[in-house]
């Protein structure tokens, strides 16, 4: 299926009046299991063949099982996890697709229509490789945790796996290079947090407190949303545990030496790199980089939520 000359997949959504339009782009063989799918679309978009049609005109989705939902704390290893899962035969990975993010962020859609659109988008993303429709996996942006009620409604049988990391290390990463949504000052209204304006220009201490509050809110929300059958993976497990242990949390299993070799090859690479850069365990370096002000903010704002999350999920401290 990957030899298809043209593969038109949903790229972005646009609201024009009461209409929601979906732009489909010829992805030229790039599929949504690619870890940097959105960035790849950005590079392809200039001059690429595309079409624009009403969102409701997307074909009704095939009879796909509800996906595994990967929710992540941000900067905690979910990209590496998606690369591992995509090595398993039959897994249809949709990794932070921009059209899905657009749908979650669009105003003016009632929940029934939004749920139908989510199912249609997932079906469209997987339509060109039916061999990977047996086990769909939807990796979502970190802020999607505040949309979990909608996601549960769209996919009532879906399992969720929450990917987490020591908040100190996540905060150091965000302060060095903020995620696009944070740099742009955008958070879902459901987050209940103050609007972020001019994040890059804030004093360092204020930025640290803002990141600490976002992480606390994420942990509180995820803690309330987890239900029996869901899973948790921490960054340390992703770095050091055998592949079989990681796959078990996802409800997946190795089916042969070829998959094991593919996963081993992926784990030797930096998950954020497309150029073959080697993986580097940066946990110690990020701990050392946290100054006293950031540690104080995390201790005061994030630590209670982090400890509650650890207790409720049975994570070792």
């Amino acid at each position: 299926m990957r030899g298809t000359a043209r593969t038109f997949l949903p790229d972005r959504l646009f609201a024009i009046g009461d209409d929601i339009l979906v732009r489909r782009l010829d992805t030229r063989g790039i599929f949504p299991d690619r870890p940097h799918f959105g960035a790849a679309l950005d590079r392809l978009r200039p001059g690429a063949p595309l079409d624009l049609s009403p969102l409701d005109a997307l074909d009704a989705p095939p009879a796909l099982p509800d996906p595994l939902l990967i929710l992540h704390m941000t900067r905690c290893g979910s990209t590496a996890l998606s690369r591992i899962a995509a090595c398993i035969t039959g897994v249809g990975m949709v990794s932070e697709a921009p059209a899905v993010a657009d749908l979650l962020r669009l105003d003016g859609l009632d929940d029934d229509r939004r749920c139908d659109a989510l199912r249609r988008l997932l079906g469209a993303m997987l339509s060109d490789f039916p061999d990977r429709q047996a086990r769909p996996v939807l990796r979502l942006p970190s802020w999607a945790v505040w949309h979990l009620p909608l996601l549960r409604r769209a996919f009532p049988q879906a399992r969720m796996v929450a990917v987490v990391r020591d908040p100190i290390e996540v905060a150091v990463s965000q302060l060095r290079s903020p995620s696009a949504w944070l740099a742009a000052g955008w958070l879902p209204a459901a987050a209940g947090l103050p609007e972020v304006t001019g994040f890059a220009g804030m004093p360092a201490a204020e930025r640290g407190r803002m990141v600490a509050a976002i992480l606390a809110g994420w942990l509180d929300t995820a803690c309330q949303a987890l239900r029996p059958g869901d899973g948790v993976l921490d960054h340390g497990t992703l770095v050091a545990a055998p592949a079989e242990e990681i796959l078990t949390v996802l409800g997946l299993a190795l089916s042969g030496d070829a998959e094991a070799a593919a996963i081993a090859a992926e784990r030797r690479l930096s998950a954020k790199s497309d150029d073959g850069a080697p993986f580097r365990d940066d946990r110690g370096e990020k701990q050392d980089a946290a100054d006293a002000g950031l540690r104080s903010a995390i201790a005061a704002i994030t630590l209670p939520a982090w400890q509650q999350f650890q207790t409720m999920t049975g994570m070792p401290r």
Side-chain angles (χ1 to χ4, degrees):
M1 296 303 296
R2 300 226 172 186
T4 306
R6 279 192 175 181
T7 304
F8 280 85
L9 295 177
D11 168 34
R12 301 302 300 263
L13 300 186
F14 303 93
I16 300 180
D18 293 332
D19 296 323
I20 307 298
L21 302 181
V22 57
R23 183 175 68 194
R24 297 190 307 159
L25 183 72
D26 176 12
T27 63
R28 303 176 187 177
I30 293 175
F31 284 77
D33 59 355
R34 186 183 180 116
H36 309 289
F37 182 57
L41 293 182
D42 289 341
R43 293 192 293 270
L44 284 173
R45 205 169 286 121
L50 53 84
D51 65 40
L52 198 64
S53 59
L55 176 62
D56 296 336
L58 281 180
D59 291 339
L64 292 175
D66 280 351
L68 173 70
L69 304 176
I70 296 180
L71 273 294
H72 59 93
M73 192 175 174
T74 182
R75 309 292 172 85
C76 57
S78 69
T79 305
L81 181 61
S82 70
R83 296 180 81 138
I84 290 170
C87 294
I88 301 299
T89 303
V91 165
M93 172 64 67
V94 176
S95 187
E96 292 199 348
V100 174
D102 287 344
L103 180 60
L104 293 177
R105 294 174 65 164
L106 277 177
D107 295 326
L109 282 182
D110 64 61
D111 283 352
D112 286 341
R113 189 179 179 197
R114 202 184 297 265
C115 288
D116 177 70
L118 277 168
R119 292 188 288 265
R120 287 175 184 267
L121 280 177
L122 182 63
M125 291 287 180
L126 299 178
S127 62
D128 280 327
F129 46 123
D131 55 317
R132 290 177 175 248
Q133 292 181 8
R135 288 175 274 189
V137 179
L138 185 57
R139 175 176 170 251
L140 294 149
S142 58
W143 48 262
V145 72
W146 285 288
H147 293 279
L148 268 173
L150 177 75
L151 292 161
R152 296 286 203 193
R153 180 170 173 177
F155 307 113
Q157 302 304 315
R159 288 183 64 241
M160 180 179 88
V161 171
V163 189
V164 297
R165 184 173 184 173
D166 186 312
I168 289 285
E169 297 161 24
V170 176
V172 166
S173 180
Q174 283 288 356
L175 291 174
R176 284 178 175 172
S177 178
S179 296
W181 54 268
L182 179 57
W186 182 86
L187 279 172
L193 295 169
E195 184 177 351
V196 183
T197 55
F199 181 80
M202 288 180 180
E206 189 176 346
R207 287 190 293 126
R209 288 191 294 272
M210 175 59 69
V211 170
I214 291 169
L215 296 180
W218 191 98
L219 288 161
D220 282 338
T221 304
C223 208
Q224 295 168 23
L226 284 167
R227 62 191 187 189
D230 291 337
V232 174
L233 276 169
D234 69 278
H235 181 262
T237 299
L238 285 170
V239 168
E244 292 85 351
E245 180 179 335
I246 296 168
L247 291 171
T248 296
V249 178
L250 297 179
L252 303 173
L254 290 169
S255 62
D257 292 342
E259 289 180 357
I263 289 174
E266 288 289 355
R267 297 183 79 182
R268 287 193 290 270
L269 300 175
S270 168
K272 291 293 185 183
S273 173
D274 282 331
D275 60 6
F279 168 76
R280 181 175 63 87
D281 185 354
D282 62 358
R283 288 176 289 176
E285 182 269 329
K286 284 184 175 170
Q287 286 287 339
D288 292 342
D291 61 23
L294 178 59
R295 288 187 177 278
S296 176
I298 293 292
I301 300 170
T302 315
L303 187 59
W306 178 233
Q307 291 176 336
Q308 180 189 33
F309 185 91
Q310 291 174 307
T311 299
M312 290 192 65
T313 60
M315 284 179 60
R317 294 195 183 184

